[in-house]
């Protein structure tokens, strides 16, 4: 079992005729083909104005609605450039995509506020933006993560960061733990899905036995996650927070990774998680061990 | 991106947000002329630097000169301008090095009845912008939040619809405005909120916002930070950028698509991905070292970027060792190593270099490093890398 990505997942790529859109669609298709031989998981793409053409075997459609009707896709992976990305996400939601995974980095915050408002009441779930995507090892990956470092297993990963998630998956592999699903929620101040919703899904997923939460400085999503864990999560949880040495007022790469207004520091996030019973690693090198410790304690 | 107070006020004025009359001066003569033009018995001469705390700040060259002064004549304006222009202002926010003042803003004096605080930010938990006000104007708002949080009122508003008049009245009544003040707030507050959204701001701060004796609201200060991701649709804002206010290395890095932040330590780092880059700094600190920078080369890490990244790191004279930490995913480790080796040649490395690689084709990559014959220290995992780079400082 897993969350978000299962055997019934069928994906189209918005922005499939762009360089990264096509490259990663090919990578995702290859990974899915290895996991589910003979099944087409990545079924096409959308680029307005290029409908009716094909690109490396992917049929291209003018609109998400068209693509959905013709391919039966239920999921969209979004690689549309930042100025047009908010519009692309809203189009996917309007077409009724169940899951929208937005990889694009650099979407203006105001655009994301409009997306949040536009999606209010929608049944679609948005993951990201500015994230590596979602992978259920052994089934499919929707995003830019290297597939082979993720092994099938029982740990759910929720992370704000891309390469740090790869690092975590690799460390989990070294201590013999695979993943049910790994989800990158993205490093932007406003995103589609936050820790709490995913904690709830992992708590309810019979295929997940433990959860690794990877946070970073900025905002208070990790503190809210800690409160939720305390009262709602029975499964063992381990965690790590990046940016313990970050100076206040400086944006550390991610738009959301900034300590401001006396809040958002790593120390308070780590303390909140520890108070909720989470095994928190001080070192980024200790994420795998912390998860193993949490599992043994449980 | 940040702008100067006088630039913020020009934008405010154009957007219908009331500001005092003011004139930019770049010389003592201009400051004197500005005083005369404003025509008042008093004026305020204000240093234009991006950092806050200017009123209490003093100049390195003139220890008794403040960054913001009240003057009563054109001659006095000129005297102060003479001391301020070209001198280095040190405030609590500039650090010990201070900032050179190249521009002054001369503003009319006003009869102030009350000083208030106004701020607008995007609240992540609310998922939208929030207007924040306080009766404690002129104070550090974080200080107010700590000691008297009841004096801060916050009103979330819809980014698309803006702040409704009833919300403005709610704030005005809570702050105890009189009837005229409430009416002015009904105009001022929605206007500034509209500005925040229209210009893709990440922060607007007016501290103090003043209520004059005749209940007019005016922005006496203006700090605006823009969302860098939205600058593509605000060419007028980009034109206001003052590169002299930014760290030259950070500007250079941004031009190459690198994300770089200078820190005070002596171990330079080059990492792919923001989260891993932050973690690498943490790791160095955990092992007793001090990171010299945050540097994210992004997911690609091509040769040009790595070369430029090395140059930026090594240009920092404090750097005594460098740690490269790359998790090669889609970008294979062997490709990254050939970029590293070429960059190593090009920049002429002169300090110890520790490389930790993991990911696709890592075995080939490690062999390549070994076969290169370069004096590069290879590390296996994160802890090993941190230990080796800290140790290399003592070697």
């Amino acid at each position: 079992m897993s969350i978000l990505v299962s055997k019934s997942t069928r994906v189209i790529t918005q922005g499939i005729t762009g360089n990264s859109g096509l490259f990663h669609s090919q990578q995702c298709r290859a990974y899915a083909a290895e996991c589910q031989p003979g099944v087409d998981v990545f079924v096409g793409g959308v680029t307005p104005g290029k409908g009716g053409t094909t690109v490396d075997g992917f049929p291209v459609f003018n609109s998400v609605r068209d693509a959905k009707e013709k391919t039966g896709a239920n999921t969209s992976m979004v690689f549309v450039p930042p100025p047009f990305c908010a519009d692309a996400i809203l189009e996917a939601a309007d077409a009724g995509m169940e899951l929208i995974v937005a990889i694009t980095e650099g979407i203006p915050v105001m655009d994301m506020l409009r997306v949040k408002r536009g999606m209010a009441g929608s049944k679609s779930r948005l993951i990201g933006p500015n994230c590596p995507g979602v992978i259920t090892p052994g089934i499919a990956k929707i995003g830019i993560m290297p597939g082979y470092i993720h092994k099938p297993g029982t740990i759910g990963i929720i992370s704000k960061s891309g390469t740090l998630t790869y690092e975590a998956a690799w460390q989990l592999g070294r201590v013999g733990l695979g993943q049910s699903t790994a989800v990158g929620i993205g490093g932007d101040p406003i995103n589609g899905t936050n820790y709490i919703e995913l904690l709830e899904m992992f708590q309810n997923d019979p295929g997940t036995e433990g959860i690794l939460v990877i946070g970073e400085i900025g905002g208070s999503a990790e503190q809210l996650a800690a409160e939720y864990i305390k009262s709602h999560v029975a499964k063992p949880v381990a965690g790590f927070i990046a940016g313990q040495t970050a100076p206040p007022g400086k944006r550390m790469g991610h738009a959301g990774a900034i300590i401001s207004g006396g809040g958002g520091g790593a120390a308070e996030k780590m303390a909140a998680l520890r108070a909720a019973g989470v095994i928190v690693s001080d070192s980024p090198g200790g994420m795998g061990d912390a998860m193993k410790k949490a599992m043994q304690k449980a | 991106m940040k702008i100067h107070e006088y630039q913020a006020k020009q934008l405010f004025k154009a957007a219908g947000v009331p500001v005092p009359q003011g004139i930019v001066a770049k010389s003592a003569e201009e400051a004197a002329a500005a005083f005369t033009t404003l025509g008042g018995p008093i004026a305020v001469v204000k240093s234009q630097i991006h950092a806050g705390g200017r009123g209490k700040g003093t100049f390195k060259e003139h220890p008794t000169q403040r960054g913001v002064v009240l003057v009563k004549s054109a001659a006095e304006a000129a005297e102060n301008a003479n001391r301020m222009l070209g001198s280095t202002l040190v405030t609590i926010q500039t650090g010990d090095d201070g900032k050179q003042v190249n521009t002054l803003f001369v503003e009319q004096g006003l009869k102030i009845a009350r000083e208030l605080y106004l701020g607008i930010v995007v609240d992540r938990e609310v998922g939208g912008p929030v207007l924040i006000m306080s009766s404690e104007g002129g104070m550090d708002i974080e200080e107010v939040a700590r000691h008297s949080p009841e004096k801060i009122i916050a009103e979330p508003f819809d980014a698309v619809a803006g702040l409704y008049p009833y919300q403005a009245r709610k704030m005005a009544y809570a702050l105890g405005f009189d009837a005229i003040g409430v009416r002015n707030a009904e105009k001022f507050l929605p206007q500034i909120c509209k500005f925040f959204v229209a210009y893709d701001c990440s922060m607007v701060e007016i501290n103090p916002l003043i209520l004059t004796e005749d209940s007019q609201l005016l922005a006496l200060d203006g700090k605006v930070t823009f969302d860098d991701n939205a600058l593509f649709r605000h060419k007028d804002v980009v034109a206001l950028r003052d590169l002299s206010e930014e760290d030259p290395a950070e500007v250079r890095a941004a031009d190459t698509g690198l994300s770089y932040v200078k820190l005070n330590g002596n171990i330079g780092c080059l990492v792919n991905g923001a989260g891993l880059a932050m973690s690498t700094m943490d790791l160095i600190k955990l092992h007793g070292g001090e990171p010299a920078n945050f540097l994210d080369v992004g997911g690609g890490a091509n040769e040009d970027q790595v070369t430029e990244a090395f140059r930026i790191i090594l240009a920092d004279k404090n750097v005594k060792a460098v740690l490269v930490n790359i998790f090669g995913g889609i970008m294979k480790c062997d490709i990254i190593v050939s970029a590293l080796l070429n960059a190593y040649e090009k920049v002429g490395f002169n300090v110890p270099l520790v490389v930790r690689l993991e990911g696709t084709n890592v075995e080939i990559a490690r062999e390549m490093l070994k076969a290169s014959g370069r004096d590069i220290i290879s590390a296996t995992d994160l802890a090993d890398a941190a230990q080796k780079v800290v140790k290399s400082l003592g070697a």
Side-chain angles (χ1 to χ4, degrees):
Chain A
M1 283 293 284
S2 57
I3 66 166
L4 301 170
V5 178
S6 70
K7 282 192 171 159
S8 57
T9 298
R10 294 294 177 272
V11 190
I12 52 146
T13 304
Q14 286 177 264
I16 195 162
T17 51
N19 281 337
S20 1
L22 179 60
F23 175 76
H24 288 291
S25 298
Q26 290 164 332
Q27 298 279 323
C28 289
R29 178 169 64 184
Y31 182 79
E34 228 174 86
C35 302
Q36 304 179 62
V39 181
D40 277 341
V41 177
F42 286 77
V43 293
V46 174
T47 299
K50 293 193 178 163
T53 63
T54 59
V55 51
D56 191 31
F58 291 107
V60 182
F61 301 90
N62 280 327
S63 71
V64 178
R65 196 166 285 276
D66 245 14
K68 189 190 173 200
E69 275 166 17
K70 307 275 165 50
T71 66
N74 52 14
T75 299
S76 178
M77 174 165 78
V78 187
F79 278 94
V80 174
F84 319 106
C85 195
D87 185 53
I89 294 169
L90 288 170
E91 185 188 344
D94 178 64
M97 285 294 164
E98 290 163 28
L99 180 66
I100 304 163
V101 181
I103 309 299
T104 306
E105 174 172 7
I107 304 177
V109 171
M110 288 303 161
D111 287 10
M112 278 311 299
L113 293 180
R114 291 184 186 105
V115 166
K116 285 289 250 193
R117 197 186 142 135
M119 285 183 71
S122 157
K123 288 199 179 77
S124 305
R125 170 166 299 287
L126 172 67
I127 300 287
N130 188 14
C131 78
V134 185
I135 180 168
T136 294
I139 302 287
K141 68 161 188 151
I142 305 170
I144 58 176
M145 68 290 280
Y148 80 95
I149 55 165
H150 293 272
K151 306 288 179 225
T154 58
I155 304 298
I157 303 180
I158 314 171
S159 172
K160 274 186 179 176
S161 148
T163 43
L164 194 52
T165 312
Y166 312 161
E167 180 72 42
W170 182 76
Q171 287 179 24
L172 286 177
R174 293 226 298 187
V175 297
L177 292 169
Q179 296 96 57
S180 52
T181 303
V183 188
I185 60 172
D188 279 1
I190 303 290
N191 57 9
T193 300
N194 231 318
Y195 292 108
I196 292 176
E197 294 156 275
L198 292 163
L199 283 166
E200 186 184 2
M201 285 185 233
F202 277 130
Q203 172 63 31
N204 294 334
D205 172 37
T208 299
E209 290 169 12
I211 306 165
L212 178 60
V213 172
I214 303 169
E216 63 188 28
I217 53 162
S220 56
E222 290 83 356
Q223 287 91 322
L224 296 173
E227 277 173 41
Y228 185 84
I229 291 168
K230 209 175 194 170
S231 50
H232 293 87
V233 179
K235 294 176 182 176
V237 184
F240 174 72
I241 303 289
Q244 297 165 45
T245 49
K250 285 282 190 180
R251 168 180 158 168
M252 307 305 276
H254 286 161
I258 181 164
I259 301 173
S260 54
E268 52 204 284
K269 290 171 188 280
M270 292 164 77
L273 287 170
R274 284 199 174 112
V278 177
I279 308 277
V280 180
S281 171
D282 283 318
S283 162
M287 292 185 286
D289 291 334
M291 191 70 244
K292 197 176 178 187
K293 201 172 143 197
M295 297 303 284
Q296 282 164 349
K297 221 176 114 185
Chain B
M1 190 194 123
K2 292 181 182 171
I3 56 173
H4 289 294
E5 173 201 1
Y6 76 93
Q7 296 170 323
K9 285 179 171 172
Q10 283 163 1
L11 294 180
F12 285 173
K13 198 175 171 185
V17 174
V19 294
Q21 272 187 292
I23 297 166
V24 175
K26 291 191 185 269
S27 68
E29 294 73 37
E30 285 179 14
F35 183 92
T36 310
T37 307
L38 290 171
I42 53 165
V44 183
V45 181
K46 304 168 100 175
S47 303
Q48 298 297 295
I49 59 169
H50 283 182
R54 293 169 297 165
K56 287 184 185 142
T58 56
F59 289 84
K60 274 193 175 167
E61 296 83 353
H62 308 281
T64 55
Q65 175 74 43
R66 299 274 175 185
V68 176
V69 282
L70 187 79
V71 295
K72 291 179 177 150
S73 70
E76 210 186 328
E79 281 163 30
N80 278 281
N82 250 331
R83 284 189 294 267
M84 294 158 88
L85 284 166
S87 303
T88 315
L89 180 58
V90 180
T91 79
I92 46 164
Q93 288 184 14
T94 58
D96 295 341
D97 289 345
K99 273 280 167 197
Q100 192 179 34
V101 174
N102 301 314
T103 306
L104 299 172
F105 194 48
V106 185
E107 217 167 43
Q108 67 174 143
L110 291 160
K111 291 189 171 154
I112 299 171
R114 288 180 66 187
E115 294 196 7
L116 309 159
Y117 171 91
L118 181 151
I120 310 173
V121 291
V122 170
D123 185 306
R124 303 178 195 214
E125 274 65 53
V126 171
V130 178
L131 170 66
I132 300 158
M133 292 186 78
S134 164
S135 54
E136 306 297 293
M139 305 254 302
D140 177 7
I141 194 67
E142 280 147 31
E143 197 65 24
V144 179
R146 261 194 300 278
H147 297 300
S148 28
E150 75 285 350
K151 287 186 176 150
I152 295 177
I153 45 176
E155 186 73 15
F157 63 94
D158 188 287
V160 180
L163 185 86
Y164 292 110
Y166 82 87
Q167 294 179 294
R169 289 195 300 275
K170 197 164 135 189
M171 297 295 251
Y173 285 124
L175 290 164
F177 286 14
D178 65 11
I180 303 167
V182 171
R183 218 162 57 223
N184 286 325
E186 271 184 302
K187 285 187 229 120
F188 189 103
L189 299 180
Q191 241 8 66
I192 192 73
C193 290
K194 195 172 156 190
F195 172 89
F196 180 87
V197 176
Y199 274 94
D200 280 289
C201 301
S202 44
M203 191 201 69
V204 165
E205 197 170 41
I206 300 174
N207 190 18
L209 166 72
I210 56 159
L211 200 61
T212 60
E213 286 178 358
D214 54 352
S215 293
Q216 302 300 308
L217 277 169
L218 292 159
L220 197 60
D221 194 7
K223 269 203 199 70
V224 179
T225 309
F226 299 93
D227 177 358
D228 291 338
N229 289 340
L231 289 176
F232 68 87
R233 59 188 172 208
H234 299 289
K235 301 284 179 255
D236 55 333
V237 170
V238 176
L240 301 177
R241 189 168 174 193
D242 181 354
L243 288 176
S244 73
E245 287 283 339
E246 298 178 36
D247 184 297
E250 290 178 18
V251 174
R252 197 173 141 191
D255 289 343
T256 332
L258 305 168
S259 178
Y260 171 85
V261 177
K262 193 189 167 333
L263 302 167
N264 295 323
N266 52 10
I267 299 176
C269 344
L270 186 160
V271 190
N272 66 335
L276 195 59
M278 270 187 274
S279 307
T280 304
M281 289 161 38
D282 298 345
L283 189 75
I284 288 170
K285 182 110 178 173
L286 268 175
H287 285 83
E290 282 291 338
N293 64 276
F294 165 94
L295 195 153
D296 170 14
V297 289
N302 65 38
E303 188 177 319
D304 288 345
Q305 284 178 315
V306 174
T307 306
E308 186 64 9
F310 276 154
R311 286 197 176 124
I312 290 166
I313 291 171
L314 293 176
D316 178 354
K317 293 293 163 233
N318 293 331
V319 169
K320 298 286 181 274
V322 174
L323 172 60
V324 170
N325 182 18
I326 303 276
F327 202 103
I330 300 297
M331 179 59 77
K332 297 180 182 74
C333 289
D334 49 331
I335 298 192
I336 290 165
V337 162
S338 68
L340 274 181
L341 289 172
N342 288 339
Y344 188 91
E345 286 306 312
K346 274 191 213 161
V347 300
F349 236 80
N350 51 6
V351 296
L353 171 64
V354 176
V355 175
R356 183 269 177 162
L357 288 161
E358 198 50 66
T360 317
N361 291 355
V362 68
E363 298 305 331
I364 309 172
R366 288 201 185 123
E367 279 307 310
M368 284 169 68
L369 273 183
K370 212 189 273 174
S372 73
R374 304 282 159 241
D375 189 16
I376 298 173
I377 305 161
S378 193
T380 51
D381 61 22
L382 288 177
D384 185 43
Q387 274 156 14
K388 280 178 174 156
V389 76
V390 171
K391 202 174 146 211
S392 77
L393 288 174

